[in-house]
Amino acid sequence: MTGLIRFERPVVVQVSRRSSERTVFDVNDAAAILLRDLHHETDKRRIAMDTCLQVLRGKTHSPAARRAFVAAALEARILRSD
């Protein structure tokens, strides 16, 4: 179970005031945002990154990664729509 693993419902984030909103459809997109755009090391970010990796390894399912990503996005104040 590798590659593109879609979320049941997309998540909308805005990573900076100057950027447009981004719709996150899958675990790969979520992981990329966590790595590139969230710069503060927090427990929620770490958990979200770990959960995305577990999904990509086939050890858990995408709803767990979506929940963790939403929690990290909410904490980072980039969540626009869940």
Side-chain angles (χ1 to χ4, degrees):
M1 185 192 306
T2 59
L4 186 72
I5 301 170
R6 295 186 67 84
F7 291 150
E8 187 175 306
R9 288 186 345 258
V11 178
V12 179
V13 297
Q14 185 174 10
V15 296
S16 75
R17 290 182 187 166
R18 290 175 266 136
S19 69
S20 59
E21 289 184 346
R22 292 168 59 179
T23 303
V24 181
F25 291 100
D26 58 61
V27 173
N28 292 331
D29 288 344
I33 289 169
L34 291 164
L35 287 171
R36 289 187 218 142
D37 299 312
L38 298 186
H39 305 291
H40 296 287
E41 289 290 331
T42 67
D43 286 339
K44 288 183 182 179
R45 177 181 177 262
R46 182 187 51 74
I47 290 167
M49 290 174 60
D50 289 345
T51 307
C52 286
L53 183 58
Q54 293 302 312
V55 170
L56 293 171
R57 289 181 176 163
K59 297 187 181 208
T60 193
H61 300 284
S62 63
R66 187 184 186 284
R67 283 190 302 273
F69 177 69
V70 166
L74 186 61
E75 177 183 62
R77 298 182 181 167
I78 66 167
L79 183 66
R80 295 295 170 257
S81 176
D82 172 18

